[in-house]
Amino acid sequence: MKIAVIADPHFHDINHRQGVGVGEGAAIRTLADTAASTRVFNESYHATRALLDDIVRRGISLVVVAGDLTDDGQQSTMAAATALLDDYARRFGLRFVATAGNHDLYAIHGRHQSKRFLNTDGSHTLVSSDPAMQQGDSVERIVSDQMYCGGYGTAIPALGAYGFFRREGDLHWECPFGSDDRLEARSFEIVSADGFTRRRMIDASFLVEPVEGLWLLSIDANVFEPKDGDLDPRLEKSYHDSTDAGWNSMPRNKGFVLDWMRDVAARARASGKRLIAFSHYPIVDPLNGTSTDEARLLNDTSFLRRTPNPEVSKVAAATGIKIHFSGHLHINDTAVFRDGDDFLVNIAVPSMVGFPPAYKIVDVGSDRLGIETVTIADVPGYDAAFPYYRIEAAREGLSARVAEAENHADFLSRHLAEMVRHRYLPKEWPQDLARLVPQLTLGDLDAFAGSLLPLTVEDATAIVGREQDGAGAMDALPLFEVIVDWYRLRKGREIALDFIDPARIAAYRLTAQRYAAGSWPQGSLQDRLGSFMRMMMDWLDSQPSRDFSVDLATGEVTSSAHLGRTVRRQTGAA
């Protein structure tokens, strides 16, 4: 039996601008907003279709969706995304089983959404569900209820065909509250940190047996904890956003779900069911133990905020759930947590709207799971928004390098480079290091590693460009391009090797060895750069993340033979 696991499609309908009639306005998001985001928007329209087409070609009929099906849960977007899945279910017999992501819904009452859409002259129009939203530098503002992101009461019924309610033909269905699938029977009380504010919230977790012997456990790890104070429960600001909370908030706010997981795991073992769990958020540290180095090197990053702490992984592993798939971070990773005899394998699934564009195929065996990672480089129509981008870039003085991409994977690789330039360096990196990056090369990093004296950023400028004995061909490589490769490895692990010249990887290993051989005071430039190189090596040498198998009895992860790896294209840096 084979299952496809996809995550974070973030589907956006580029053919219908909310607030105007169908066919009266293309809904192309701006290049500026795309460059500033961790995901691309317009490309999801064709990428989601290419993803589903690939699944159909492989003869797979059961598809798990690990959250964020929609762009931002807008009513019209939700309708378009579910219509697309329903079309593939009708035409090709696909069965979808999903969990809701933080972009699909918000608490009970939902929240406003506002987006900027390009006009034919490169200007943009703001479309918002919020009448109080200011127009800003858009040439027009349209207020439309279709932009509103719903809460549990509207979003879950919209997604209902994907396992959230009992379906005829299912061999088993239940939720943490029993066999009653009505939303009103699936509510619980959630309390603010000070204990004074109480709200009724819905939990959308469920267990379904779609085919004989297979249990799919969809865990709703969205936690909308009310903030302290008697705030209006209808407002977004009255809750802590689940985006950064994830599993770290589950034991405190949804302990009943963990108790239910333990019971489900025990019953699965007793009845010989193959149990596969999934939620939107990672349940084991996806940074592979590099969190300490990341905290030392960088400012407060989204990865660090969204990393589950070891105590949470310990509690989750104790439930007996062995295999868990996650999305949310748009990365390709395999992480294993062990505590005595307990273990938990978290398989992070990439997204088609962030580097690398890929999904997972699970081959369910009697004692092992085989995992294949499929990268989809070619997407018909991937460049549909490129003409709009070029017009906007000319009007606003922006770079249109991403619009030179040769395929979808190349586009996402270039987009990542632009994120490094415009988002990660200015927002995540300490200012002194960010200012130094444009001046340095890989050869300079080697030179710093060869200095026995600890250096400051100010000291570094005296060494920059100094010729070194035995300088290699890679010494002139700009540090910015090294950092882009660093992020490619951070997000793609093994898949990133398809996008990085092997000569670069060899040079990075030599530089990392030089730093590993040295010792400098904490906080010195070499100490900080040593953390940078150490993380890169940890990602290069981490658990197999492309094609591997998992022993269901021991949690042992074994890499499948993967020969003939080739470099597709090195892009998006300079």
Side-chain angles (χ1 to χ4, degrees), residues 2-9 51-52 55 60-67 69 85 94-99 162 206 208 210 214-219 276-280 324-327 349-350 359-362 364:
K2 289 190 176 182
I3 306 168
V5 183
I6 68 176
D8 302 274
L51 170 65
L52 296 177
I55 292 170
I60 298 171
S61 59
L62 188 54
V63 184
V64 167
V65 185
L69 169 64
L85 297 198
L94 296 188
R95 167 73 191 275
F96 297 95
V97 179
T99 189
Y162 314 136
F206 63 88
V208 66
L214 177 66
W215 278 11
L216 295 178
L217 182 62
S218 172
I219 305 167
I276 296 177
F278 62 99
S279 72
H280 184 54
H324 177 266
F325 289 85
S326 66
V349 183
Y359 73 101
K360 304 284 183 178
I361 295 176
V362 184
V364 183

Side-chain angles (χ1 to χ4, degrees), residues 249-498:
S249 291
M250 288 289 283
R252 184 177 74 254
N253 292 295
K254 286 190 175 185
F256 66 92
V257 172
L258 288 155
D259 293 339
W260 175 63
M261 290 165 57
R262 183 178 295 105
D263 180 59
V264 167
R267 284 186 283 130
R269 288 192 300 272
S271 57
K273 305 294 184 183
R274 180 65 62 238
L275 177 62
I276 296 177
F278 62 99
S279 72
H280 184 54
Y281 306 93
I283 201 170
V284 179
D285 179 6
L287 289 175
N288 292 108
T290 62
S291 298
T292 300
D293 276 328
E294 180 152 325
R296 290 173 60 190
L297 177 69
L298 305 180
N299 294 319
D300 181 32
T301 68
S302 60
F303 264 51
L304 288 176
R305 292 194 302 272
R306 299 174 185 185
T307 297
N309 65 60
E311 283 305 308
V312 170
S313 300
K314 180 178 180 179
V315 170
T319 66
I321 301 297
K322 304 299 185 185
I323 306 293
H324 177 266
F325 289 85
S326 66
H328 192 46
L329 295 181
H330 304 182
I331 65 171
N332 176 57
D333 177 70
T334 308
V336 182
F337 178 87
R338 296 187 183 278
D339 180 52
D341 292 333
D342 295 333
F343 70 86
L344 180 57
V345 181
N346 189 94
I347 301 166
V349 183
S351 166
M352 286 295 293
V353 293
F355 181 87
Y359 73 101
K360 304 284 183 178
I361 295 176
V362 184
D363 190 347
V364 183
S366 59
D367 56 356
R368 301 186 74 88
L369 288 185
I371 311 295
E372 178 186 356
T373 306
V374 179
T375 304
I376 301 181
D378 296 312
V379 171
Y382 77 98
D383 55 353
F386 286 11
Y388 295 86
Y389 292 160
R390 294 187 184 103
I391 294 172
E392 178 191 0
R395 176 189 174 103
E396 303 295 336
L398 303 174
S399 167
R401 280 187 291 262
V402 293
E404 299 169 2
E406 296 180 352
N407 57 38
H408 182 65
D410 184 17
F411 173 76
L412 293 178
S413 185
R414 290 168 180 263
H415 174 259
L416 176 57
E418 292 304 303
M419 271 201 296
V420 173
R421 191 186 310 276
H422 299 294
R423 181 186 179 109
Y424 291 142
L425 277 176
K427 293 184 178 181
E428 290 192 347
W429 283 62
Q431 291 185 3
D432 60 343
L433 282 182
R435 286 193 299 267
L436 189 60
V437 166
Q439 307 174 46
L440 301 183
T441 65
L442 182 60
D444 293 323
L445 259 62
D446 276 341
F448 300 156
S451 173
L452 298 178
L453 296 176
L455 302 173
T456 66
V457 169
E458 290 74 22
D459 296 333
T461 57
I463 304 177
V464 169
R466 184 182 300 174
E467 290 190 10
Q468 300 294 308
D469 293 336
M474 285 290 163
D475 282 358
L477 183 68
L479 179 57
F480 176 79
E481 296 197 24
V482 179
I483 292 174
V484 172
D485 284 344
W486 187 85
Y487 277 100
R488 287 189 179 111
L489 287 164
R490 185 190 196 218
K491 291 176 176 289
R493 303 298 194 268
E494 285 181 278
I495 295 177
L497 298 178
D498 288 344

Side-chain angles (χ1 to χ4, degrees), residues 164-181:
F164 291 96
F165 300 98
R166 182 177 287 101
R167 171 171 161 165
E168 185 177 356
D170 287 340
L171 301 176
H172 180 76
W173 189 97
E174 66 177 82
C175 68
F177 308 93
S179 59
D180 192 339
D181 64 354

